[in-house]
Amino acid sequence: MNKILVVGIIGQSVFMKCKDFPKNGETIQVENIYSEVGGKGFNQALTIKNLGGNVKFVCALGNDYYGELCLNEMKRLGVTNHSFIKNNQKTAYANILTNCQGDNQVCVYPGASLEVEDLENIYTLIDEAEYVLLQLEIPFEVNLAIAKYAFNNKKHVILNPAPASNIDEILPFVEIITPNEIEAEMLFDKDYSNKLLNRNFLSIITRGKNNTLLIKECIKEFKVEPVEPIDTTGAGDAFNGALTYCLSIGMNIHEAIKFANEAASITVNYQYVLPGIEALKN
């Protein structure tokens, strides 16, 4: 089994359930409030760990209450981590609003960040891994340096370009990108399918309840089983973690996408993120 390094953030997540999302300028009352640790990188690393993968998670934490809480939760959940503690910085914080249809809106304060000064230690961890999974919740210059180093050392680099921002500079060093459909349109325009043909990387586009797309020399669709979601928050993280896990144990890309679709479909049957990811335990 190949080793996986996930680089990202962890922080406190606060969920609020409402009937409908507020309109501009509108104040609404929420029906329920719940908190748990989260962050795309952490969610993806936990998914890989629960599926039985060999994973290490790299993150930065503030020297504060939430930083201590995150460390304790990573230990409790069994996620092996390499944490950089940043004095005088706050730990990441997210607010997730979910409506009665299971759709969500997410606001993230990125908090304490990995920095260029941390790279030498991160490079050592990359040397020990075969797969490196990245998102866009850490500073771009750090992501770019990690991707370049991993690529030059013949590692498999997977980029989940979320939240979406310009990624042109990092694409030469990436093997697979995994945007959802909204992110793909933001990054490559509405004609993203044709624009992603015959690139140096594979593109996997998740589209919620619609079939997942694999784009390289051609466009191939992978069926998503219909479900009535309770909460879609974290489904994309479960997909990315499951995809990377499958590739690390030798599945081909078609097998990996099918498995990742199934994993994501399981998580949306649970309220909040951690219960869904915990349901994936091997």
Side-chain angles (χ1 to χ4, degrees):
M1 181 185 298
N2 291 308
K3 294 182 179 179
I4 302 167
L5 181 68
V6 181
V7 185
I9 70 168
I10 183 174
Q12 180 72 0
S13 297
V14 176
F15 295 79
M16 293 188 290
K17 183 71 178 289
C18 63
K19 182 178 179 181
D20 296 301
F21 294 133
K23 299 179 179 65
N24 186 34
E26 181 185 14
T27 299
I28 64 170
Q29 288 188 336
V30 298
E31 300 170 1
N32 190 34
I33 189 168
Y34 167 85
S35 64
E36 64 183 17
V37 299
K40 290 184 181 299
F42 170 71
N43 294 339
Q44 292 167 8
L46 181 61
T47 296
I48 296 166
K49 178 262 175 186
N50 283 347
L51 291 171
N54 187 347
V55 61
K56 181 168 285 189
F57 175 53
V58 180
C59 62
L61 291 169
N63 189 14
D64 58 7
Y65 168 78
Y66 288 130
E68 183 177 355
L69 177 66
C70 289
L71 283 173
N72 289 337
E73 280 294 274
M74 284 191 283
K75 182 178 179 180
R76 181 182 72 83
L77 294 166
V79 175
T80 303
N81 73 89
H82 188 98
S83 305
F84 296 88
I85 306 299
K86 305 293 183 177
N87 292 318
N88 302 317
Q89 294 187 37
K90 295 181 180 179
T91 299
Y93 188 94
N95 184 272
I96 301 97
L97 189 62
T98 304
N99 68 12
C100 59
Q101 284 78 44
D103 298 319
N104 62 80
Q105 295 179 346
V106 183
C107 296
V108 176
Y109 168 68
S113 296
L114 293 169
E115 299 168 311
V116 171
E117 65 189 35
D118 302 318
L119 284 170
E120 287 302 320
N121 288 326
I122 297 173
Y123 292 159
T124 300
L125 299 171
I126 294 172
D127 291 338
E128 300 170 356
E130 290 299 323
Y131 286 83
V132 178
L133 177 55
L134 305 172
Q135 322 80 34
L136 297 179
E137 290 187 323
I138 67 171
F140 185 79
E141 61 180 349
V142 177
N143 259 338
L144 179 59
I146 290 170
K148 282 184 177 179
Y149 183 88
F151 176 85
N152 290 333
N153 286 276
K154 304 186 186 310
K155 309 299 183 180
H156 302 283
V157 181
I158 301 172
L159 174 65
N160 174 216
S165 61
N166 191 304
I167 57 173
D168 290 346
E169 195 174 355
I170 200 172
L171 287 177
F173 311 103
V174 171
E175 183 175 326
I176 299 172
I177 65 168
T178 61
N180 63 32
E181 188 166 39
I182 294 172
E183 292 155 355
E185 290 182 359
M186 293 175 65
L187 294 168
F188 303 104
D189 205 357
K190 288 188 179 295
D191 190 30
Y192 64 82
S193 294
N194 289 321
K195 291 186 176 181
L196 289 170
L197 287 168
N198 301 309
R199 302 291 289 267
N200 63 290
F201 50 85
L202 288 170
S203 301
I204 300 171
I205 316 297
T206 56
R207 303 190 299 161
K209 63 183 179 180
N210 297 318
N211 292 348
T212 300
L213 303 182
L214 171 62
I215 306 174
K216 185 56 172 150
E217 288 85 6
C218 63
I219 301 171
K220 183 175 176 60
E221 294 192 20
F222 292 82
K223 184 178 181 180
V224 173
E225 294 298 329
V227 296
E228 292 295 330
I230 294 174
D231 189 347
T232 60
T233 314
D237 297 334
F239 180 93
N240 279 276
L243 179 83
T244 307
Y245 162 74
C246 290
L247 295 174
S248 78
I249 62 171
M251 287 189 188
N252 64 44
I253 192 67
H254 293 181
E255 294 169 330
I257 293 172
K258 291 175 183 176
F259 185 95
N261 277 342
E262 293 171 2
S265 293
I266 290 171
T267 65
V268 302
N269 293 307
Y270 295 83
Q271 188 75 52
Y272 311 118
V273 176
L274 289 188
I277 294 178
E278 288 291 273
L280 300 175
K281 278 185 177 178
N282 193 346

